[in-house]
Amino acid sequence: TRVEYLNYEVVADHGWEVDDPDLFETAAGADLDHEDYGLFLAEPGETLLEAAEARGFAWPFACRGGACANCAVAVVDGELDSTVDNVLTDDLVDRGFRLSCIGRPVTEELRVIYNVKHLPGLDDLRL
Ligand code: FES
């Protein structure tokens, strides 16, 4: 799976909107650091968090077991399977939020915003 990622902190710092359809195009043209925006390939069977770490990225996490939401990402395109997610409310799941520590990419292409635990509305899920 080809994973295109963007750090929520950068989105917030630039005053960009998470639901802007051109968000990733804007980010691609913004000369961001590699840790904040870029691409990597996830191998079959890897969770998104494992895949990011295996390629040298330090994405947020705490429990690694689907119980804290520190690792939450917003899936903008594609799908991440998180069947044992007990933390995110149905509403958040409907809006595309997933847990990267248990979520495995199930589409060829994935666009995610990581670090979204700081997104208003997710703050209260943090332990
Ligand atoms: Fe705790 Fe993913 S690290 S839910």
Side-chain angles (χ1 to χ4, degrees):
T1 295
R2 175 181 179 274
V3 180
E4 188 176 2
Y5 60 88
L6 177 60
N7 185 349
Y8 176 68
E9 215 171 279
V10 170
V11 177
D13 283 354
H14 285 78
W16 296 338
E17 298 294 331
V18 168
D19 51 9
D20 177 351
D22 297 324
L23 177 62
F24 276 73
E25 284 71 18
T26 304
D31 195 26
L32 300 172
D33 289 344
H34 189 51
E35 73 181 39
D36 290 328
Y37 167 79
L39 294 169
F40 62 77
L41 293 178
E43 300 295 332
E46 280 182 321
T47 66
L48 182 61
L49 182 62
E50 285 167 352
E53 290 176 334
R55 277 126 203 111
F57 299 108
W59 287 11
F61 71 91
C63 72
R64 288 185 175 277
C68 74
N70 275 285
C71 67
V73 298
V75 176
V76 175
D77 270 320
E79 185 54 282
L80 200 57
D81 172 32
S82 307
T83 44
V84 291
D85 173 0
N86 294 316
V87 180
L88 300 178
T89 61
D90 290 348
D91 177 53
L92 289 171
V93 171
D94 283 350
R95 287 163 57 200
F97 293 99
R98 297 288 185 273
L99 301 176
S100 66
C101 71
I102 55 173
R104 292 180 165 78
V106 292
T107 47
E108 283 302 306
E109 312 243 330
L110 193 65
R111 273 183 165 171
V112 295
I113 304 170
Y114 77 95
N115 216 6
V116 294
K117 62 179 180 175
H118 300 303
L119 191 68
L122 284 183
D123 277 348
D124 50 354
L125 286 173
R126 214 167 353 143
L127 297 179

